[in-house]
Amino acid sequence: MRIYSSISQSQWLLSIPVLLGLSLLPLPAMAFDPSGGTASLFIILGLGGFTLINLFLQGLFFFAGQYRSATFAKRHVLSALIVPLIAIALAIYDHRGWSDFALNLGIICVGIGLILLPLQLCQIDKPTNRNADWIISLGALFILALSYVITPLALFTIVLAHICLASSPNQIPKILSYISLILGYSLFGYWVYQTVMMLQS
């Protein structure tokens, strides 16, 4: 037992000069490279979140029978394609190499594929839902509730409320749409004001 302890102590004493010598050797510094981070962050959070909300809108419009109009479906697709186009521009401008660019481009392609769904949904012969105004107005209120957590979502509330009012809704859905418009414009305007003040500071 004493022999073992003496051996371990001698090994420990010999290891001290070795560790001190290694600590003096120059080692490569692993610095953080922020390039490519802006594009990836926007694509994952911005495009990903937008795609989820857009899928919710597509479901609302489909069950409300809005996609019976091919013009409405095309307008929805064209307006939704703005976000992936911004993502493509960011991916080209801000990337570290071909690997992250290919990954970002793949995510963008998936998002574009989901955005193009209304062009297929309008081919389905679905009759107009007589409760379409209720579906859209309640959808606007649901997104309004979410916008109290993620304020930019108020823009989707405004869009849904305007679409509901344009379809000549019944009295209660019309009132709900006006409530969504008032609160949605207030929230979105407050968010824009806060964003401008933050950029100026």
Side-chain angles (χ1 to χ4, degrees), residues 65-78:
Q66 296 291 326
Y67 287 145
R68 285 179 59 86
S69 170
T71 304
F72 182 88
K74 290 176 182 176
R75 286 178 180 173
H76 185 188
V77 168
L78 289 175

Side-chain angles (χ1 to χ4, degrees), residues 5-21:
S5 61
S6 63
I7 292 173
S8 61
Q9 287 178 358
S10 63
Q11 288 177 345
W12 184 78
L13 290 173
L14 288 174
S15 65
I16 292 176
V18 175
L19 292 174
L20 288 174

Side-chain angles (χ1 to χ4, degrees), residues 33-128:
D33 183 10
S35 61
T38 304
S40 298
L41 186 66
F42 177 80
I43 290 168
I44 293 171
L45 296 180
L47 181 61
F50 172 78
T51 303
L52 287 176
I53 293 296
N54 193 52
L55 285 173
F56 176 73
L57 296 182
Q58 289 172 355
L60 281 181
F61 294 146
F62 176 73
F63 289 111
Q66 296 291 326
Y67 287 145
R68 285 179 59 86
S69 170
T71 304
F72 182 88
K74 290 176 182 176
R75 286 178 180 173
H76 185 188
V77 168
L78 289 175
S79 59
L81 283 175
I82 296 173
V83 178
L85 289 177
I86 296 172
I88 290 173
L90 274 175
I92 293 172
Y93 176 75
D94 183 30
H95 69 279
R96 286 172 292 184
W98 288 108
S99 57
D100 70 308
F101 178 73
L103 178 64
N104 289 339
L105 195 62
I107 298 173
I108 293 170
C109 288
V110 172
I112 291 175
L114 294 174
I115 287 171
L116 295 177
L117 276 177
L119 299 180
Q120 297 296 322
L121 294 176
C122 70
Q123 305 295 327
I124 300 174
D125 189 15
K126 181 175 176 57
T128 304

Side-chain angles (χ1 to χ4, degrees), residues 79-196:
S79 59
L81 283 175
I82 296 173
V83 178
L85 289 177
I86 296 172
I88 290 173
L90 274 175
I92 293 172
Y93 176 75
D94 183 30
H95 69 279
R96 286 172 292 184
W98 288 108
S99 57
D100 70 308
F101 178 73
L103 178 64
N104 289 339
L105 195 62
I107 298 173
I108 293 170
C109 288
V110 172
I112 291 175
L114 294 174
I115 287 171
L116 295 177
L117 276 177
L119 299 180
Q120 297 296 322
L121 294 176
C122 70
Q123 305 295 327
I124 300 174
D125 189 15
K126 181 175 176 57
T128 304
N129 195 328
R130 60 182 179 180
N131 296 319
D133 49 357
W134 279 98
I135 293 173
I136 298 177
S137 60
L138 291 176
L141 287 176
F142 176 74
I143 297 181
L144 178 65
L146 291 180
S147 65
Y148 277 93
V149 180
I150 308 172
T151 314
L153 294 181
L155 179 63
F156 296 98
T157 299
I158 295 168
V159 171
L160 283 175
H162 277 295
I163 291 173
C164 183
L165 290 174
S167 61
S168 301
N170 295 321
Q171 190 65 28
I172 297 178
K174 182 183 288 188
I175 294 172
L176 294 178
S177 297
Y178 278 123
I179 292 172
S180 298
L181 277 180
I182 294 169
L183 296 177
Y185 273 117
S186 301
L187 274 175
F188 191 71
Y190 176 76
W191 175 76
V192 171
Y193 172 76
Q194 290 291 329
T195 304
V196 171

